[in-house]
Amino acid sequence: EDQVTQSPEALRLQEGESSSLNCSYTVSGLRGLFWYRQDPGKGPEFLFTLYSAGEEKEKERLKATLTKKESFLHITAPKPEDSATYLCAVQATGNQFYFGTGTSLTVIP
Amino acid sequence: NAGVMQNPRHLVRRRGQEARLRCSPMKGHSHVYWYRQLPEEGLKFMVYLQKENIIDESGMPKERFSAEFPKEGPSILRIQQVVRGDSAAYFCASSPPGRGYHQPQHFGDGTRLSIL
């Protein structure tokens, strides 16, 4: 069964303390892996798309990487405004998007 | 702002009533997706539509739920005879034409449905 698992469920960091979020997946035929940020009461905001193992994407303090089994979202020197829930989604050959339950990130000033 | 527009933002219905949720995709987008999000759960795919066509409804409950995306106007998710278990946040997303499944989906801010 196609599945997406994100860890940790929650993460508290001091401002400036770098860390990584994990998204592991088991799907038949990965078409793409997507990272989103979701703030309370809002819809998910698109961050990155990764299509193949070895691919990396960067945007400000965020960097996403992809292997054949998992993806990492690296956060370098986070700021309080980076606090949000980060969602990972995979698109498989069955055409569906499967979302993980997210990592809730809190950055403390 | 030409983002995905959903309305209403909040909807309260009594058991047995009908709920209609509307979604206007981003300008230039022709693919629409509906998701449901329950507390402590991830977004669950419901249905994928293009103009006047349902492409994939494998995530839709078999009864009481229907969706449409007419040639003119917004996409509508309709829930008939609502029950308490329908209480959730419903999100709409859209993507541009072409290889729809390879494009990132852009989300609206959702409709929070509460059933009394």
Side-chain angles (χ1 to χ4, degrees):
Chain A
E1 180 181 310
D2 295 338
Q3 201 164 1
V4 179
T5 304
Q6 290 189 248
S7 61
E9 287 186 17
L11 182 62
R12 289 172 64 90
L13 299 173
Q14 292 289 331
E15 185 173 359
E17 179 187 1
S18 302
S19 188
S20 296
L21 313 182
N22 177 264
C23 171
S24 62
Y25 59 91
T26 53
V27 296
S28 50
L30 180 73
R31 284 187 169 179
L33 185 141
F34 303 82
W35 281 98
Y36 288 85
R37 167 192 172 127
Q38 187 173 23
D39 292 294
K42 298 286 190 179
E45 176 189 346
F46 170 71
L47 294 173
F48 302 110
T49 307
L50 300 165
Y51 291 110
S52 56
E55 191 174 359
E56 298 183 354
K57 294 274 180 72
E58 274 189 81
K59 179 181 178 181
E60 297 180 353
R61 296 178 292 282
L62 300 176
K63 178 180 176 181
T65 61
L66 180 65
T67 72
K68 287 186 178 178
K69 294 290 184 186
E70 58 190 349
S71 176
F72 290 94
L73 184 65
H74 307 278
I75 303 177
T76 302
K79 298 182 178 182
E81 52 262 42
D82 294 323
S83 297
T85 296
Y86 290 85
L87 301 172
C88 166
V90 298
Q91 179 194 12
T93 52
N95 291 332
Q96 283 202 21
F97 266 54
Y98 296 91
F99 276 85
T101 52
T103 293
S104 176
L105 174 66
T106 303
V107 182
I108 304 160
Chain B
N1 185 348
V4 178
M5 302 301 295
Q6 290 189 249
N7 64 82
R9 289 296 312 278
H10 301 275
L11 182 61
V12 179
R13 286 287 178 265
R14 297 189 180 279
R15 282 178 293 170
Q17 291 184 321
E18 177 179 290
R20 281 184 175 238
L21 287 61
R22 289 177 290 277
C23 169
S24 296
M26 283 181 71
K27 188 175 181 180
H29 286 194
S30 57
H31 302 263
V32 166
Y33 314 79
W34 285 94
Y35 292 82
R36 177 163 61 179
Q37 187 175 43
L38 293 167
E40 311 305 322
E41 293 188 19
L43 286 156
K44 301 294 185 188
F45 168 82
M46 298 181 74
V47 63
Y48 161 43
L49 310 106
Q50 296 179 21
K51 285 284 188 182
E52 300 183 282
N53 283 302
I54 296 175
I55 307 301
D56 182 350
E57 58 181 347
S58 56
M60 286 274 274
K62 293 285 187 285
E63 297 177 351
R64 303 187 298 108
F65 285 72
S66 62
E68 62 177 9
F69 188 17
K71 187 176 180 181
E72 301 290 339
S75 175
I76 306 288
L77 179 67
R78 181 183 179 202
I79 310 172
Q80 295 179 289
Q81 299 177 324
V82 296
V83 300
R84 288 243 170 89
D86 297 332
S87 295
Y90 291 82
F91 288 93
C92 170
S94 71
S95 63
R99 297 185 305 162
Y101 276 120
H102 295 264
Q103 305 281 357
Q105 298 175 9
H106 298 270
F107 284 79
D109 284 336
T111 294
R112 272 80 183 163
L113 176 64
S114 299
I115 309 301
L116 301 179

